[in-house]
């Protein structure tokens, strides 16, 4: 039989290589779709002399033959129904999908929003195990955006995967940028969960092709901001009356000289500081954001800051070194500190990490591989974001170059 240009056939045969002691052989089925074949067991046995190989049926009018033939007809009917449903709902069929449907696997095909909801729930259960709480928020947000897209585009709450294709992916991208007015960075972050949904469906056989095959995520040009040597110096020398602001200034500077992120510093334990064989102290931890290992030798300034707040109201509990308030509170203090220090930049805590990577390390000649290991980056490509040379560094490097090549090259005199 043939549906929608797909060749579909079912064959029943005996597996004579598995002959049992009773003399009976298993009755097998073979599903073929467009040249692809998959075998399955019917769970029935029969003696070879009672089997008609041409018709794929039992011979005779015995109760056994009647039961076997009835079961074969039932299997044929069930497979044909699954075939028609798949053609109608998915637009394509494979022998593997039909065999799975016969086994009761995947007979209820998820819709896009059902699969999206499953992804969100799985991510929610993964908090604290595979992802951090701050990384979870993008998934329910992406779920809401896609639901808004379906309402806007199709006036529907859900759609089958048969409607998901490359053109729809491009339309969703346009919707996020134009109708939802998301920034390029947020658009990219919102598209990624939908890509995960599509790949899950593709791997389950709910999609025949990868709808993201021709889609390219927009490259986001990162422009990290950091403090210059002069700005760091002004912040360090700033006289502060408020103890809370003084503490915020100090923990910011601690991150400037270690590269440790806000959340990792907030959770930093005394046990994370380990003494090495040569007597030096290192912060050794796994970053909360990525789980990557970070190895940071402590310079004198971070050591002094840690010692300064021992046994004070800013000391942490449950083994933590510091008691640090919310990032919003910390960034509020940093805004005031920037004004007091004459820093004409919007000072936020993450700039301390950028300053460590760029001004403290790379601008001072620390190899990028070393910086990457200290900052706990999963890929050195991430560290390269911090490698934008400052004008001071360029001037220093070119001055050294001029000294090295002096007298080595001369123009021909006319």
């Amino acid at each position: 039989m043939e549906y929608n240009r797909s060749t579909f056939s079912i064959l029943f045969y005996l597996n004579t290589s598995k002959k049992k002691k009773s003399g009976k052989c298993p009755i097998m089925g073979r599903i073929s779709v467009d040249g692809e074949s998959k075998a399955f067991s019917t769970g029935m046995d029969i003696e070879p002399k009672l089997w008609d190989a041409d018709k794929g049926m039992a011979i005779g009018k015995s109760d056994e033959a009647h039961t076997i033939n009835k079961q074969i007809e039932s299997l044929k009917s069930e497979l044909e129904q699954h075939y028609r449903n798949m053609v109608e709902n998915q637009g394509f069929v494979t022998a593997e999908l039909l065999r799975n449907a016969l086994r009761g696997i995947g007979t209820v095909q998820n819709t896009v929003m059902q699969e999206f909801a499953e992804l969100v729930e799985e991510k929610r259960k993964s908090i604290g195990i595979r992802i951090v709480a701050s990384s979870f928020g993008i998934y329910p947000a992406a779920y809401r955006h896609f639901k808004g897209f379906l309402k806007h585009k199709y006036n529907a709450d859900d759609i089958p995967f048969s409607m998901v294709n490359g053109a729809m992916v491009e339309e969703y991208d346009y919707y996020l940028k134009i109708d939802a007015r998301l920034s390029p960075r947020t658009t990219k972050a919102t598209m990624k969960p939908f890509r995960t949904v599509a790949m899950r469906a593709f791997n389950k056989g709910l999609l025949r092709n990868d709808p993201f095959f021709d889609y390219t995520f927009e490259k986001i040009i990162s422009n990290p901001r950091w403090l210059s040597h002069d700005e760091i110096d002004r912040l360090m020398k700033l006289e502060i009356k408020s103890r809370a602001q003084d503490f915020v200034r100090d923990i910011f500077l601690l991150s400037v000289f270690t590269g440790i992120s806000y959340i990792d510093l907030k959770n930093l334990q005394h046990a994370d500081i380990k003494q090495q064989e040569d007597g030096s102290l290192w912060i050794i931890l796994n970053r909360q954001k990525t789980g990557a290992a970070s190895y940071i030798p402590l310079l004198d300034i971070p050591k002094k800051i840690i010692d300064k707040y021992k046994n004070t109201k800013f000391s942490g509990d449950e083994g933590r070194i510091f008691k640090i308030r919310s990032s919003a509170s910390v960034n509020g203090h940093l805004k005031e500190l920037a004004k007091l220090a004459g820093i004409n930049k919007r000072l936020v805590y993450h700039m301390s990490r950028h300053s460590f990577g760029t001004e403290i390390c790379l601008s001072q000649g620390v190899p990028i591989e070393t910086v990457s290991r200290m900052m706990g980056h999963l890929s050195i490509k991430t560290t390269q974001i911090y490698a934008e040379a400052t004008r001071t560094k360029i001037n220093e490097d070119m001055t050294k170059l001029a000294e090295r090549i002096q007298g080595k090259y001369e123009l021909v005199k006319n």
Side-chain angles (χ1 to χ4, degrees), residues 353 372 377-387:
R353 187 166 164 84
S372 183
H377 289 154
L378 290 173
S379 168
I380 202 166
K381 290 182 179 179
T382 306
T383 319
Q384 288 169 345
I385 295 172
Y386 298 85

Side-chain angles (χ1 to χ4, degrees), residues 115 161 164 193-203 207 209-212:
E115 191 70 34
F161 276 105
V164 178
F194 177 52
R195 181 182 64 174
T196 301
V197 169
M199 290 310 300
R200 283 161 61 107
F202 178 69
N203 293 333
L207 277 171
N209 300 302
D210 175 11
F212 279 82

Side-chain angles (χ1 to χ4, degrees), residues 27-62:
I27 301 174
M28 302 292 293
R30 181 181 291 116
I31 306 165
S32 297
V33 179
D34 293 339
E36 176 200 15
S37 297
K38 293 293 179 182
F40 64 92
S41 173
T42 66
M44 299 182 290
D45 305 313
I46 194 171
E47 293 181 35
K49 65 181 182 180
L50 300 177
W51 181 255
D52 187 329
D54 292 332
K55 294 181 179 180
M57 298 184 71
I59 300 170
K61 297 183 179 180
S62 65

Side-chain angles (χ1 to χ4, degrees), residues 356-372:
F356 172 76
T358 302
E359 181 62 32
I360 301 300
C361 293
L362 294 172
S363 291
Q364 304 303 321
V366 178
I368 194 170
E369 295 83 3
T370 301
V371 179
S372 183

Side-chain angles (χ1 to χ4, degrees), residues 359-414:
E359 181 62 32
I360 301 300
C361 293
L362 294 172
S363 291
Q364 304 303 321
V366 178
I368 194 170
E369 295 83 3
T370 301
V371 179
S372 183
R373 196 67 186 275
M374 288 192 290
M375 299 188 77
H377 289 154
L378 290 173
S379 168
I380 202 166
K381 290 182 179 179
T382 306
T383 319
Q384 288 169 345
I385 295 172
Y386 298 85
E388 283 193 23
T390 62
R391 284 179 291 179
T392 301
K393 178 62 175 170
I394 293 172
N395 183 62
E396 289 175 358
D397 290 344
M398 293 307 292
T399 300
K400 291 176 183 177
L401 176 63
E403 292 172 355
R404 287 198 298 269
I405 68 174
Q406 187 174 9
K408 291 184 178 181
Y409 303 94
E410 290 185 11
L411 286 171
V412 176
K413 294 181 180 179
N414 293 328

Side-chain angles (χ1 to χ4, degrees), residues 93-105:
V93 188
T94 68
E96 180 71 22
L97 286 175
L98 282 174
R99 183 173 67 175
N100 287 343
L102 195 62
R103 293 171 174 172
I105 302 171

Side-chain angles (χ1 to χ4, degrees), residues 26-214:
I27 301 174
M28 302 292 293
R30 181 181 291 116
I31 306 165
S32 297
V33 179
D34 293 339
E36 176 200 15
S37 297
K38 293 293 179 182
F40 64 92
S41 173
T42 66
M44 299 182 290
D45 305 313
I46 194 171
E47 293 181 35
K49 65 181 182 180
L50 300 177
W51 181 255
D52 187 329
D54 292 332
K55 294 181 179 180
M57 298 184 71
I59 300 170
K61 297 183 179 180
S62 65
D63 290 342
E64 180 186 23
H66 177 73
T67 300
I68 289 173
N69 290 337
K70 187 176 180 180
Q71 182 64 19
I72 287 173
E73 289 300 325
S74 177
L75 288 169
K76 283 183 180 179
S77 177
E78 185 179 351
L79 283 167
E80 289 168 2
Q81 185 60 50
H82 285 312
Y83 181 89
R84 286 190 290 269
N85 289 341
M86 288 179 187
V87 169
E88 181 179 348
N89 297 325
Q90 297 174 211
F92 71 97
V93 188
T94 68
E96 180 71 22
L97 286 175
L98 282 174
R99 183 173 67 175
N100 287 343
L102 195 62
R103 293 171 174 172
I105 302 171
T107 52
V108 179
Q109 303 292 357
N110 282 5
T111 60
V112 177
M113 295 310 297
Q114 285 175 333
E115 191 70 34
F116 220 137
E118 285 184 15
L119 174 65
V120 174
E121 181 61 15
E122 286 177 18
K123 293 297 180 180
R124 186 189 66 78
K125 291 178 179 178
S126 298
I127 295 174
I129 302 172
R130 299 185 65 184
I131 64 171
V132 296
S134 58
S135 299
F136 169 70
I138 189 61
Y139 292 95
Y143 176 91
R144 291 192 297 272
H145 278 301
F146 193 76
K147 195 162 189 177
F149 166 70
L150 294 184
K151 200 71 177 175
H152 173 82
K153 178 69 178 177
Y154 305 105
N155 194 28
D157 293 322
D158 204 350
I159 57 172
F161 276 105
S162 58
M163 294 177 65
V164 178
N165 53 36
M168 199 201 77
V169 170
E170 295 291 348
E171 289 171 350
Y172 182 44
D173 179 275
Y174 180 88
Y175 167 83
L176 293 175
K177 291 175 180 175
I178 306 303
D179 297 296
R181 298 185 179 182
L182 301 185
S183 68
R185 187 180 298 277
T186 306
T187 296
K188 183 176 181 179
T190 304
M191 286 293 288
K192 284 186 173 180
F194 177 52
R195 181 182 64 174
T196 301
V197 169
M199 290 310 300
R200 283 161 61 107
F202 178 69
N203 293 333
K204 289 180 178 181
L206 303 178
L207 277 171
R208 193 167 198 172
N209 300 302
D210 175 11
F212 279 82
F213 180 76
D214 288 325

Side-chain angles (χ1 to χ4, degrees), residues 294-308:
S294 186
Y295 301 87
I296 312 166
L298 282 180
L299 301 173
D300 286 340
I301 290 173
K303 287 180 190 175
K304 290 177 181 178
I305 293 172
I306 291 172
D307 289 338
K308 178 179 177 179

